[in-house]
Amino acid sequence: MAKAQSHYLCQSCGYQTARWMGRCPDCGEWASLLEERVTGERHGARRNEAPSGSSRATPITAVDSLALGRMSTGLTELDRVLGGGIVPGSFVLVSGDPGIGKSTLLLQASMQIALRDGVVLYVSGEESLQQTRSRASRLGPLSDRLLLLAETSLQIILDQADQIRPTILVIDSIQTIVSDELESPSGSLSQVREAAVRLMTLAKEKGISTVIIGHITKDGAIAGPKAMEHLVDAVVFIEGEGHQIHRLLRAVKNRFGPTPEIGVLEMTSSGLRELANPSEVFLSQRPSGAPGSVVIPTLEGSRPLLVELQALVAAPSAPVSRRVFNGVDSNRGILLLAILEKRLGLALSACDVYVNVVGGVRVGETAADLGIAAAVLSSARNLPLDPGLCVFGEVGLAGEVRAVPMAERRLDEAARLGLSHCLMSRHNLCRTMPDFSSLRVSGLSTVEELTERLERW
């Protein structure tokens, strides 16, 4: 019997050592070093493996330039995030919070592809065949070309994929897959990395597009390793609050398309439904004449999106005032409160301040600065804002309002939704701007001017 070779591997960063330690010396995590065993045959085979003689270096000018043929997933929003569809032979990772809809999204896409384009092999390591069939029955019509496999053995999955040669292979999820050549438990760094490497090889050598689901940790990172993110061609995150019905698809890596790009879906009893006009949906329940409410045109990839941002400035509920930011960066929010207190004389340090982006959307760009400032100022002075107003622009530490990219797209979306007035940086107005007959555009240089404009209304 072959002798198993043992080492200890950090499940957070991949640090390897010959002896156990309570704390990883590389990343500092406690109790993250687990014992990994590899059989002697496999260890020797990897070490003595000879390079393939069929591989030869080729001049780049001698390589045929072929257009990437993409396959539609049947979900327009998912196609948008992937850059137009799934590229044959690509390796895609889909991740998100537990219960956010990862399995539903991929099962729904698998059903659409099976109905129109080819054979799909859906491998579930978490559900039985009957459970997957029951879930699929409420998502739409079924097809004989959608094949289900309830299996966790990596070797069996690879054998089945090699025999069937499906158009798409879906793995739900990578953390459940186990290689018989490793003695470590499922979900460990070694198992996840081994499964990812073998599946990537299958995708590239056989031309089978492979989509895997990856769980995330309590810190929001992809469970198992950053190494898996480097292996895949695209990483798609599904975002959303558990109590909200909206789901955002966000591409954080895509070798075959633009990043970051987003898609907007709505979770219903019959699966995920695409939103043709997400801006209208996000603004549909906006209160009229409420202080602290403002519309901001944000840009996600190439897509403009109008969302409602709300702020509440209230008397302190504790000796130390609270700062709560949902949907915007908290450090950026605290910085903006300091700017408003210094430049406008608002006594915000003695108040509780709450800022929230409605609908579970997360806005990461600095173009939301002026909108946050307008909402906080409106709430602090109990000053209702014009319902037809939208605001965007970056705010500097000196109180200056700076230009942001692609202002034309933001204004075009605001005009399309019927807004009447927009406040933005004066530096954006210096550039050539299209004429919006129904939208009046005003430029600002400082946050002091913002105060004057809001009080005038």
Side-chain angles (χ1 to χ4, degrees):
M1 188 175 192
K3 182 181 178 181
Q5 302 200 10
S6 174
H7 58 261
Y8 292 86
L9 197 66
C10 175
Q11 304 303 302
S12 296
C13 67
Y15 176 81
Q16 183 175 319
T17 178
R19 62 185 182 88
W20 182 85
M21 290 181 284
R23 185 180 187 185
C24 175
D26 196 18
C27 67
E29 287 289 327
W30 288 94
S32 62
L33 289 165
L34 296 181
E35 186 177 14
E36 307 279 356
R37 294 177 181 271
V38 183
T39 61
E41 289 96 336
R42 182 174 179 274
H43 183 76
R46 284 288 179 91
R47 182 180 55 211
N48 300 323
E49 200 172 60
S52 172
S54 61
S55 298
R56 295 289 184 271
T58 305
I60 190 172
T61 53
V63 178
D64 292 335
S65 178
L66 300 176
L68 293 175
R70 295 179 183 268
M71 178 184 303
S72 173
T73 63
L75 298 172
T76 306
E77 296 298 296
L78 181 56
D79 288 344
R80 168 195 284 270
V81 173
L82 292 173
I86 298 179
V87 175
S90 61
F91 193 35
V92 180
L93 170 65
V94 176
S95 190
D97 291 326
I100 202 69
K102 302 183 293 296
S103 299
T104 300
L105 174 70
L106 292 187
L107 184 56
Q108 203 167 330
S110 298
M111 294 168 61
Q112 293 290 330
I113 294 172
L115 285 170
R116 296 180 294 105
D117 296 312
V119 176
V120 178
L121 177 57
Y122 188 96
V123 180
S124 177
E126 301 178 346
E127 295 180 321
S128 66
L129 297 180
Q130 291 74 20
Q131 289 174 323
T132 305
R133 168 66 171 79
S134 175
R135 189 157 50 87
S137 62
R138 63 181 175 82
L139 301 180
L142 304 179
S143 169
D144 291 339
R145 293 191 295 183
L146 175 56
L147 307 180
L148 302 182
L149 178 63
E151 186 56 65
T152 59
S153 171
L154 177 61
Q155 284 70 26
I156 294 177
I157 294 171
L158 294 175
D159 290 342
Q160 285 285 300
D162 191 43
Q163 293 175 20
I164 298 170
R165 295 295 177 93
T167 305
I168 305 289
L169 171 63
V170 179
I171 305 294
D172 182 11
S173 66
I174 190 69
Q175 275 79 19
T176 63
I177 306 304
V178 179
S179 172
D180 298 335
E181 298 173 345
L182 297 175
E183 296 186 12
S184 52
S186 62
S188 64
L189 180 58
S190 292
Q191 290 285 6
V192 170
R193 185 167 54 191
E194 173 71 8
V197 170
R198 298 284 294 277
L199 289 169
M200 180 195 67
T201 303
L202 174 73
K204 303 305 178 184
E205 291 183 351
K206 308 297 184 182
I208 300 174
S209 301
T210 303
V211 184
I212 61 175
I213 290 177
H215 297 163
I216 65 173
T217 65
K218 60 183 180 180
D219 298 324
I222 295 176
K226 277 288 180 183
M228 190 165 64
E229 293 185 59
H230 300 313
L231 289 173
V232 300
D233 297 315
V235 179
V236 177
F237 270 95
I238 305 181
E239 300 176 356
E241 300 293 335
H243 58 277
Q244 296 283 352
I245 62 173
H246 300 122
R247 300 291 185 266
L248 266 65
L249 305 180
R250 191 183 302 273
V252 296
K253 174 187 177 181
N254 193 352
R255 288 175 179 158
F256 307 118
T259 55
E261 192 62 80
I262 71 159
V264 185
L265 301 167
E266 184 179 64
M267 180 64 78
T268 68
S269 58
S270 58
L272 290 163
R273 183 173 66 88
E274 300 169 359
L275 293 182
N277 194 346
S279 295
E280 186 176 2
V281 172
F282 288 137
L283 299 181
S284 61
Q285 302 181 47
R286 187 187 176 207
S288 178
S293 173
V294 68
V295 175
I296 57 172
T298 182
L299 204 67
E300 298 289 349
S302 61
R303 184 178 204 166
L305 199 64
L306 297 186
V307 296
E308 180 189 359
L309 187 145
Q310 295 181 341
L312 176 64
V313 179
S317 56
V320 179
S321 57
R322 298 190 65 193
R323 302 286 187 263
V324 178
F325 299 92
N326 292 324
V328 296
D329 181 65
S330 58
N331 292 326
R332 189 75 187 174
I334 292 173
L335 181 146
L336 288 169
L337 297 184
I339 294 172
L340 294 177
E341 185 159 11
K342 177 69 175 180
R343 303 299 171 187
L344 303 183
L346 295 177
L348 298 176
S349 58
C351 301
D352 289 345
V353 180
Y354 306 87
V355 176
N356 178 55
V357 180
V358 178
V361 181
R362 181 161 188 83
V363 181
E365 60 170 352
T366 56
D369 288 356
L370 196 61
I372 296 174
V376 170
L377 181 61
S378 169
S379 178
R381 297 187 174 176
N382 201 30
L383 182 67
L385 300 181
D386 183 356
L389 173 69
C390 66
V391 181
F392 67 92
E394 180 181 349
V395 177
L397 290 178
E400 77 278 14
V401 181
R402 297 174 173 267
V404 298
M406 295 188 236
E408 297 86 352
R409 290 191 179 183
R410 304 172 197 266
L411 293 174
D412 186 59
E413 181 72 0
R416 189 181 68 82
L417 266 291
L419 299 185
S420 58
H421 196 184
C422 179
L423 292 178
M424 54 187 281
S425 171
R426 195 182 304 275
H427 298 285
N428 279 119
L429 286 177
C430 296
R431 305 168 187 174
T432 303
M433 297 290 291
D435 182 27
F436 297 96
S437 57
S438 61
L439 182 67
R440 185 160 54 98
V441 181
S442 302
L444 302 176
S445 298
T446 64
V447 289
E448 288 85 358
E449 293 182 31
L450 174 65
T451 304
E452 297 172 6
R453 296 292 179 89
L454 296 183
E455 289 179 345
R456 189 183 304 170
W457 289 325

